[in-house]
Amino acid sequence: MIHCITFNTQSASAGQRHRHVVRFRVTGVLLFLAFVLTASTSFAEVLYVGPNGSDNRSRSQATNRSTPVRSISRGLQLAGAGDTVVVLDGTYYGLVYIAKSGRRGSPLVLKSENKHGAKLIGSIQSDDQSYLVVDGFDVSNRQASNFGTKGIRLDRCHHITVRNNRVHDCIGGGINSDQSDWILIEWNIVHHNAFLDANQHSGISVYQPQYRADDNGTFGVIIRNNTCYANENKLNNPLFGRPTDGNGIVVDDFKNISPGGNGVLYERQALITNNFCFLNGGQGIHCYRAHRIFVRNNTCYKNMKSFDFGGEVSVSESDQCFVYNNVLFAREGKNIALQFDSTRVWWDYNVMFNGSLFQVNAGPNTRFAHPLFQPGSLRLRSFSPAINLGLTHANVYPVDVDGQPRVIGNRIDAGAKEFNPGFDE
């Protein structure tokens, strides 16, 4: 509430009294606005966490790189919306739980000072928060399991970004988000996860997205420019007697009809693009009970190590899925691509090699040919059939999985990697 101060002097005329009232009203409003602006800008700080710090330090002390706090949890305790908690290089242990939110335009950022320099033996988790960024950590937890099995887990959140992390050797899933909204997962390396949890996790998983906030974005879920490999279920699913997941990337139950779902169809679009998925136990990319999914410009190579029913890309019990501009290289005797019990699925402009199709209409612009990778790499050679094959679209992400320009030449290349003569050969 803004209180206006007035003076009622007997000697002042009515006009003078009116001018006093107006003057003090304006002054009060200006002071209030100045306070709001100051509170929203000057209080946003960078706070430091370091292996040689002390958790007895104050917020003010933690803003100095030379006097950090010791634990990531203490840094988050001192932080608020708009702050960035920078974690210096070193090894940290345990559960890092983010118990507060940022706000629109002022996210709460948890960041490793150097990419993968802050190594966490543990897990990063949050529930029911919003406007969060987790950036640049090396996370593993095979050595400890008293806080859950997943590497990074953000559930029932909205406006969340997980980028630049290396998540590996976790008992359960690598990066997971359940029942969340406005999700961006990008530039992560996710490998050797999901081995030892019978609940059947994957490298990157988005499960049961649900409406939690309004926004003007095109895609409610974006999974892009990640590298996912060697994620695999080593234990059987108790219900089926065999592994069922261990995928590179999975988007699951947009219909919200599985346990925990709210029964409301999630109709925001989802984009899976520019990802390398290779040598995973399950599918490279699996769309299960999904809706309005765009799977484009990914490279999936010799996945399906653990079981037979699936594909490098599979679409099962889903609707309105568009699979194009991908390079799909199957294992011997396995499916390149699978479609099962799904409607309105479009496949085209893909390079497919070395396997069979299960109920997939590949489309007239598909090339059944070896993609011709560079030796020891999933990057294209200059004469690959994937070059200039893709369908170029208006909202293409401007860089490929290597951070190089995406469209070189007349059309976009198929796969996660654009052939760049100055970069590749």
Side-chain angles (χ1 to χ4, degrees):
M1 179 181 296
I2 302 172
H3 296 282
C4 299
I5 303 173
T6 62
F7 289 93
N8 187 15
T9 59
Q10 293 183 349
S11 59
S13 66
Q16 288 173 325
R17 288 197 298 272
H18 176 71
R19 285 194 295 273
H20 283 310
V21 171
V22 171
R23 184 180 300 116
F24 280 101
R25 250 190 210 130
V26 172
T27 302
V29 170
L30 292 176
L31 287 172
F32 176 77
L33 291 175
F35 171 78
V36 170
L37 292 173
T38 300
S40 63
T41 57
S42 64
F43 290 163
E45 301 268 17
V46 175
L47 293 85
Y48 291 94
V49 177
N52 297 317
S54 168
D55 282 351
N56 293 324
R57 288 173 177 153
S58 66
R59 174 184 167 92
S60 177
Q61 289 173 314
T63 62
N64 188 326
R65 191 181 183 281
S66 64
T67 55
V69 296
R70 172 65 182 86
S71 67
I72 301 173
S73 295
R74 175 60 174 164
L76 288 168
Q77 184 183 44
L78 295 174
D83 289 337
T84 299
V85 177
V86 172
V87 183
L88 307 182
D89 290 1
T91 301
Y92 304 82
Y93 296 88
L95 169 63
V96 173
Y97 190 78
I98 307 174
K100 54 182 70 173
S101 295
R103 59 175 178 265
R104 186 184 296 271
S106 298
L108 174 58
V109 179
L110 178 62
K111 178 180 175 63
S112 174
E113 183 179 46
N114 297 302
K115 188 165 70 171
H116 308 158
K119 301 182 185 304
L120 175 66
I121 310 299
S123 180
I124 298 173
Q125 301 180 20
S126 187
D127 300 281
D128 305 293
Q129 306 300 328
S130 60
Y131 299 102
L132 303 177
V133 178
V134 178
D135 187 345
F137 289 85
D138 181 297
V139 181
S140 64
N141 65 28
R142 194 71 60 83
Q143 300 94 326
S145 61
N146 58 340
F147 41 76
T149 67
K150 301 174 184 178
I152 299 176
R153 178 192 65 77
L154 305 177
D155 291 352
R156 299 183 307 278
C157 297
H158 66 83
H159 290 91
I160 53 178
T161 298
V162 181
R163 67 161 59 102
N164 292 325
N165 303 283
R166 180 168 60 204
V167 185
H168 60 99
D169 296 286
C170 292
I171 297 168
I175 298 173
N176 299 262
S177 183
D178 295 359
Q179 300 172 352
S180 296
D181 194 11
W182 301 113
I183 304 162
L184 174 59
I185 302 172
E186 63 177 1
W187 299 107
N188 302 283
I189 301 171
V190 186
H191 65 92
H192 291 93
N193 300 292
F195 283 14
L196 301 175
D197 190 329
N199 291 313
Q200 308 289 288
H201 299 291
S202 293
I204 295 175
S205 172
V206 172
Y207 178 66
Q208 286 185 342
Q210 297 177 358
Y211 296 111
R212 298 196 175 274
D214 292 329
D215 210 313
N216 295 321
T218 301
F219 297 104
V221 177
I222 299 175
I223 304 172
R224 68 186 177 202
N225 294 70
N226 302 284
T227 298
C228 301
Y229 67 93
N231 301 285
E232 184 177 2
N233 296 157
K234 299 288 190 179
L235 301 181
N236 290 333
N237 185 323
L239 298 178
F240 295 94
R242 61 175 175 81
T244 56
D245 285 274
N247 308 289
I249 297 170
V250 58
V251 288
D252 186 352
D253 197 21
F254 283 46
K255 301 177 182 182
N256 274 282
I257 58 177
S258 297
N262 60 9
V264 177
L265 177 65
Y266 185 81
E267 294 200 78
R268 304 199 207 282
Q269 297 180 47
L271 174 63
I272 305 172
T273 186
N274 288 354
N275 300 285
F276 275 151
C277 297
F278 57 95
L279 305 180
N280 294 288
Q283 283 97 164
I285 298 171
H286 188 196
C287 304
Y288 179 67
R289 292 180 177 173
H291 181 69
R292 302 189 75 188
I293 312 294
F294 291 79
V295 180
R296 68 188 191 209
N297 285 107
N298 303 282
T299 298
C300 299
Y301 175 82
K302 290 191 174 182
N303 297 286
M304 293 290 297
K305 182 179 177 182
S306 297
F307 53 99
D308 295 329
F309 189 73
E312 295 299 306
V313 172
S314 65
V315 180
S316 182
E317 299 183 36
S318 298
D319 178 62
Q320 295 186 45
C321 295
F322 307 88
V323 185
Y324 60 102
N325 293 6
N326 302 287
V327 172
L328 309 179
F329 191 125
R331 290 178 179 269
E332 292 286 347
K334 300 294 178 77
N335 293 318
I336 311 171
L338 174 143
Q339 178 176 325
F340 177 75
D341 196 19
S342 297
T343 57
R344 292 182 287 183
V345 182
W346 182 69
W347 305 76
D348 209 352
Y349 296 93
N350 300 295
V351 174
M352 297 183 170
F353 183 71
N354 205 40
S356 57
L357 301 178
F358 187 90
Q359 298 183 0
V360 169
N361 181 355
N365 301 289
T366 297
R367 295 188 184 178
F368 293 94
H370 196 296
L372 300 175
F373 298 125
Q374 296 179 34
S377 170
L378 296 179
R379 292 162 179 82
L380 304 174
R381 304 190 73 177
S382 60
F383 42 89
S384 168
I387 292 177
N388 291 327
L389 172 66
L391 178 66
T392 305
H393 32 79
N395 60 348
V396 61
Y397 193 53
V399 296
D400 67 10
V401 70
D402 283 331
Q404 297 297 309
R406 196 55 174 111
V407 181
I408 299 173
N410 297 326
R411 293 172 61 173
I412 196 170
D413 297 345
K417 179 71 187 82
E418 191 84 7
F419 178 74
N420 186 332
F423 182 82
D424 294 308
E425 288 186 350

